[in-house]
Amino acid sequence: MKLYLSGHDYKYAAEQMLLTLFPTERPVYPSDEPLDEPSGDRAELTLRAGEAECVLCRGGAVTTASETVAPWGDEIERVRNEQHALKMSFYRAALASGVPRPAWGALTGVKPGKLMARYLTAGKTAADFAADFDVSPARAALCEKTTRCTLEARDSLAPGDIGLYVGIPFCPTRCAYCSFISNAVGGNAKLIEPYLNALHTELARVGQSVRADGERPVAVYFGGGTPTTLSPGQLDGLCTALERHFDLSALREYTVEAGRPDTITAEKLAVLRAHGVTRVSVNPQTMSDAVLERIGRRHTAADIVDALTLVRGAGDFQVNMDLIAGLPGDDPAGFRATVETVLSLAPENITVHTLAIKNGSYLAENGGELPDAAAVAAMLDFAMERLDAAGYAPYYLYRQKYMSGGFENVGWTRPGCVNLYNIIMMEELCPVAAMGAGASTKLTGPNGAVRRRMNPKYPKEYIERMTNAPDA
């Protein structure tokens, strides 16, 4: 869609709203002036004299909306208020043109909890939040609950507390929706040992820095990929290296993704238990064999149940199970059956994701038979109602670009089983030292400032970097 900006240069704000309202459109900034007649889809976004206006031409029809810019106290607040007014004028013009109202209204950010935290700290309510951004009451209430968990987690942290992330970018197969830096083991097995050698080098280097800074890990998370793709001996060596290079005496939780049931064995679970791992993820995504086949998984729903039986027999692990609403070939009835089956397995945490079509995934490149936004909404609404009734509470929430229906991902927990790492990572409550290919270290600073340091994306480049580093 053509975007014409007048009186400002808030391209990012305009593009965020464009993506929210018209997810298949991409911004174009023409050099010519907009024509008077309603030809071609375009949005004219104008800022003048304390007012924002949008003239939207869509399908030969023209709709117009304006929004007053709220008073401001400083330069940061002025920019924020102007951007908000521009977004709201674009949003209201789009709704007037017939665009369905999104569940999250005019809210464009991927971390609505940050905004809700400002509201709660200022003494405002979820109702104020909903009114200001036209968010549905159900989503506003959901966000308030997860934000209160965030504030509780924040208050439990002390100076020097950090999180640790260790990335293992290997999986048995690559899922159709996956855009993570993961490699199917079949053709990449020869990379695993060199990769682990490089990872041990980085563990030593980062551990030395963390100790020198007087920081202490409170949460460890092994992700990927699928860490349990590694052999029992490789897992043991990695966990031993972590213990050698980091002071884990203040650790409050230790999570390892064992997401694929076809990678879980009693021997691997015994290794994890011996090293003090407290939580494992057994991630079905769906309990439909037909949908599992559609997304490229080489296991069945029965395999998931068997894997969970192994986990429960191996020790006192807490268990997370991930589900995805909107997978190809799924429908509301199938998703409801998945939720009921997973609830019968009684995991401590259930994370309900909404499918996001990301660049680099099979679905982005080849498409698929995907449920529409109404079907995804029905799936998520059922999950919200059913999990609440089963005694689970939402504890963290985030959104993503290109997410079906513009919805959200939500982590649910049984009482006393909150995954601290998920909160501190998503809400950036403290630094997270991340190691491995594609890992992103987050360094938090005053006033919420966050600096990121990315590792090389692919295993071969990562191995080369670690091998040739001056202090390797």
Side-chain angles (χ1 to χ4, degrees), residues 445-471:
N447 301 318
V450 177
R451 291 185 294 116
R452 290 173 173 79
R453 187 175 64 236
M454 290 292 299
N455 274 350
K457 187 175 181 180
Y458 298 105
K460 287 182 180 179
E461 287 78 4
Y462 172 79
I463 293 167
E464 183 178 351
R465 167 78 67 84
M466 292 301 124
T467 302
N468 296 329
D471 55 348

Short mmCIF file of all heavy atoms in Angstrom, two decimals, residues 445-471:
data_model
loop_
_atom_site.label_atom_id
_atom_site.label_comp_id
_atom_site.label_asym_id
_atom_site.label_seq_id
_atom_site.Cartn_x
_atom_site.Cartn_y
_atom_site.Cartn_z
N GLY A 445 19.76 -1.75 30.64
CA GLY A 445 20.36 -0.57 31.24
C GLY A 445 19.32 0.30 31.91
O GLY A 445 18.15 -0.09 32.04
N PRO A 446 19.70 1.51 32.33
CA PRO A 446 18.75 2.40 32.98
C PRO A 446 17.64 2.83 32.04
O PRO A 446 17.79 2.84 30.83
CB PRO A 446 19.63 3.60 33.39
CG PRO A 446 20.86 3.50 32.57
CD PRO A 446 21.05 2.07 32.22
N ASN A 447 16.47 3.14 32.63
CA ASN A 447 15.29 3.62 31.88
C ASN A 447 14.81 2.62 30.84
O ASN A 447 14.24 3.00 29.82
CB ASN A 447 15.60 4.96 31.20
CG ASN A 447 16.01 6.04 32.19
OD1 ASN A 447 15.42 6.15 33.26
ND2 ASN A 447 17.02 6.82 31.84
N GLY A 448 15.05 1.33 31.10
CA GLY A 448 14.54 0.31 30.21
C GLY A 448 15.32 0.12 28.94
O GLY A 448 14.89 -0.63 28.04
N ALA A 449 16.47 0.76 28.80
CA ALA A 449 17.27 0.62 27.57
C ALA A 449 17.81 -0.81 27.47
O ALA A 449 18.22 -1.40 28.47
CB ALA A 449 18.41 1.61 27.58
N VAL A 450 17.79 -1.35 26.26
CA VAL A 450 18.25 -2.72 26.02
C VAL A 450 19.20 -2.72 24.84
O VAL A 450 18.89 -2.18 23.78
CB VAL A 450 17.08 -3.68 25.74
CG1 VAL A 450 17.60 -5.08 25.43
CG2 VAL A 450 16.12 -3.72 26.93
N ARG A 451 20.38 -3.30 25.04
CA ARG A 451 21.33 -3.50 23.94
C ARG A 451 21.41 -5.00 23.64
O ARG A 451 21.42 -5.82 24.56
CB ARG A 451 22.72 -2.96 24.30
CG ARG A 451 22.77 -1.45 24.40
CD ARG A 451 24.19 -0.95 24.63
NE ARG A 451 24.72 -1.37 25.92
CZ ARG A 451 25.75 -2.18 26.09
NH1 ARG A 451 26.37 -2.69 25.02
NH2 ARG A 451 26.17 -2.52 27.29
N ARG A 452 21.46 -5.33 22.36
CA ARG A 452 21.52 -6.73 21.96
C ARG A 452 22.85 -7.04 21.27
O ARG A 452 23.37 -6.21 20.53
CB ARG A 452 20.36 -7.07 21.02
CG ARG A 452 19.01 -7.08 21.71
CD ARG A 452 17.88 -7.26 20.72
NE ARG A 452 16.59 -7.44 21.37
CZ ARG A 452 15.86 -6.45 21.88
NH1 ARG A 452 16.30 -5.20 21.78
NH2 ARG A 452 14.71 -6.70 22.47
N ARG A 453 23.36 -8.22 21.53
CA ARG A 453 24.58 -8.68 20.87
C ARG A 453 24.28 -10.05 20.27
O ARG A 453 24.01 -11.01 20.98
CB ARG A 453 25.73 -8.75 21.88
CG ARG A 453 27.08 -9.08 21.21
CD ARG A 453 28.21 -9.01 22.21
NE ARG A 453 28.10 -10.01 23.25
CZ ARG A 453 28.07 -9.75 24.54
NH1 ARG A 453 28.15 -8.50 24.95
NH2 ARG A 453 27.96 -10.72 25.44
N MET A 454 24.33 -10.13 18.94
CA MET A 454 23.94 -11.36 18.23
C MET A 454 25.17 -12.19 17.89
O MET A 454 26.18 -11.67 17.42
CB MET A 454 23.20 -11.00 16.95
CG MET A 454 21.81 -10.42 17.16
SD MET A 454 20.64 -11.62 17.84
CE MET A 454 20.63 -12.87 16.55
N ASN A 455 25.04 -13.49 18.10
CA ASN A 455 26.04 -14.42 17.62
C ASN A 455 25.80 -14.73 16.14
O ASN A 455 24.70 -14.50 15.62
CB ASN A 455 25.97 -15.73 18.41
CG ASN A 455 26.78 -15.67 19.69
OD1 ASN A 455 27.56 -14.74 19.90
ND2 ASN A 455 26.60 -16.66 20.55
N PRO A 456 26.81 -15.24 15.44
CA PRO A 456 26.59 -15.65 14.04
C PRO A 456 25.39 -16.58 13.94
O PRO A 456 25.15 -17.42 14.82
CB PRO A 456 27.89 -16.37 13.69
CG PRO A 456 28.91 -15.75 14.57
CD PRO A 456 28.21 -15.46 15.85
N LYS A 457 24.67 -16.44 12.84
CA LYS A 457 23.37 -17.10 12.71
C LYS A 457 23.46 -18.60 12.51
O LYS A 457 22.67 -19.37 13.08
CB LYS A 457 22.63 -16.45 11.54
CG LYS A 457 21.20 -16.89 11.37
CD LYS A 457 20.55 -16.08 10.25
CE LYS A 457 19.09 -16.47 10.05
NZ LYS A 457 18.46 -15.67 8.97
N TYR A 458 24.41 -19.04 11.70
CA TYR A 458 24.44 -20.45 11.31
C TYR A 458 25.59 -21.18 12.01
O TYR A 458 26.64 -20.59 12.31
CB TYR A 458 24.57 -20.57 9.80
CG TYR A 458 23.39 -19.98 9.07
CD1 TYR A 458 23.50 -18.76 8.42
CD2 TYR A 458 22.16 -20.64 9.07
CE1 TYR A 458 22.40 -18.21 7.77
CE2 TYR A 458 21.06 -20.10 8.42
CZ TYR A 458 21.19 -18.88 7.77
OH TYR A 458 20.10 -18.34 7.13
N PRO A 459 25.42 -22.49 12.27
CA PRO A 459 26.44 -23.24 13.01
C PRO A 459 27.84 -23.15 12.42
O PRO A 459 28.82 -22.99 13.15
CB PRO A 459 25.91 -24.68 12.98
CG PRO A 459 24.43 -24.52 12.93
CD PRO A 459 24.21 -23.32 12.06
N LYS A 460 27.98 -23.24 11.08
CA LYS A 460 29.32 -23.19 10.49
C LYS A 460 30.01 -21.86 10.78
O LYS A 460 31.20 -21.83 11.13
CB LYS A 460 29.23 -23.42 8.98
CG LYS A 460 28.93 -24.87 8.59
CD LYS A 460 28.92 -25.05 7.08
CE LYS A 460 28.63 -26.48 6.69
NZ LYS A 460 28.60 -26.66 5.21
N GLU A 461 29.26 -20.75 10.63
CA GLU A 461 29.84 -19.43 10.91
C GLU A 461 30.14 -19.27 12.40
O GLU A 461 31.15 -18.67 12.79
CB GLU A 461 28.89 -18.34 10.44
CG GLU A 461 28.81 -18.16 8.93
CD GLU A 461 27.95 -19.22 8.25
OE1 GLU A 461 27.33 -20.06 8.94
OE2 GLU A 461 27.91 -19.21 7.00
N TYR A 462 29.27 -19.82 13.22
CA TYR A 462 29.50 -19.76 14.67
C TYR A 462 30.77 -20.52 15.04
O TYR A 462 31.60 -20.03 15.82
CB TYR A 462 28.29 -20.33 15.40
CG TYR A 462 28.48 -20.49 16.89
CD1 TYR A 462 28.38 -19.40 17.74
CD2 TYR A 462 28.77 -21.74 17.44
CE1 TYR A 462 28.57 -19.55 19.11
CE2 TYR A 462 28.95 -21.90 18.80
CZ TYR A 462 28.85 -20.80 19.62
OH TYR A 462 29.05 -20.94 20.98
N ILE A 463 30.94 -21.72 14.51
CA ILE A 463 32.13 -22.52 14.79
C ILE A 463 33.38 -21.77 14.37
O ILE A 463 34.38 -21.71 15.11
CB ILE A 463 32.04 -23.88 14.06
CG1 ILE A 463 30.91 -24.72 14.66
CG2 ILE A 463 33.37 -24.63 14.14
CD1 ILE A 463 30.52 -25.93 13.82
N GLU A 464 33.32 -21.15 13.20
CA GLU A 464 34.48 -20.40 12.71
C GLU A 464 34.79 -19.22 13.62
O GLU A 464 35.95 -18.95 13.95
CB GLU A 464 34.21 -19.91 11.29
CG GLU A 464 35.37 -19.18 10.66
CD GLU A 464 35.08 -18.74 9.24
OE1 GLU A 464 34.04 -19.15 8.69
OE2 GLU A 464 35.90 -17.98 8.67
N ARG A 465 33.75 -18.51 14.06
CA ARG A 465 33.97 -17.36 14.94
C ARG A 465 34.63 -17.78 16.25
O ARG A 465 35.58 -17.15 16.71
CB ARG A 465 32.61 -16.70 15.23
CG ARG A 465 32.63 -15.68 16.39
CD ARG A 465 33.21 -14.33 16.01
NE ARG A 465 32.33 -13.67 15.06
CZ ARG A 465 31.26 -12.94 15.40
NH1 ARG A 465 30.92 -12.83 16.68
NH2 ARG A 465 30.53 -12.35 14.48
N MET A 466 34.11 -18.84 16.87
CA MET A 466 34.64 -19.27 18.14
C MET A 466 36.06 -19.83 18.01
O MET A 466 36.91 -19.64 18.88
CB MET A 466 33.72 -20.32 18.78
CG MET A 466 32.38 -19.78 19.22
SD MET A 466 32.52 -18.45 20.43
CE MET A 466 31.61 -17.16 19.58
N THR A 467 36.30 -20.50 16.88
CA THR A 467 37.63 -21.12 16.67
C THR A 467 38.68 -20.06 16.42
O THR A 467 39.83 -20.20 16.90
CB THR A 467 37.56 -22.08 15.48
OG1 THR A 467 36.56 -23.08 15.72
CG2 THR A 467 38.91 -22.75 15.27
N ASN A 468 38.32 -19.00 15.72
CA ASN A 468 39.31 -17.98 15.32
C ASN A 468 39.32 -16.76 16.23
O ASN A 468 40.06 -15.81 15.96
CB ASN A 468 39.02 -17.53 13.89
CG ASN A 468 39.20 -18.67 12.90
OD1 ASN A 468 40.01 -19.56 13.11
ND2 ASN A 468 38.41 -18.66 11.83
N ALA A 469 38.50 -16.76 17.29
CA ALA A 469 38.48 -15.62 18.20
C ALA A 469 39.85 -15.49 18.87
O ALA A 469 40.49 -16.50 19.18
CB ALA A 469 37.39 -15.79 19.24
N PRO A 470 40.32 -14.26 19.11
CA PRO A 470 41.67 -14.06 19.66
C PRO A 470 41.90 -14.78 20.98
O PRO A 470 43.01 -15.26 21.23
CB PRO A 470 41.73 -12.54 19.84
CG PRO A 470 40.76 -11.99 18.86
CD PRO A 470 39.65 -13.01 18.78
N ASP A 471 40.84 -14.87 21.82
CA ASP A 471 41.04 -15.49 23.12
C ASP A 471 40.47 -16.90 23.18
O ASP A 471 40.18 -17.42 24.24
CB ASP A 471 40.43 -14.63 24.23
CG ASP A 471 38.95 -14.34 23.98
OD1 ASP A 471 38.49 -14.60 22.84
OD2 ASP A 471 38.28 -13.84 24.89
#
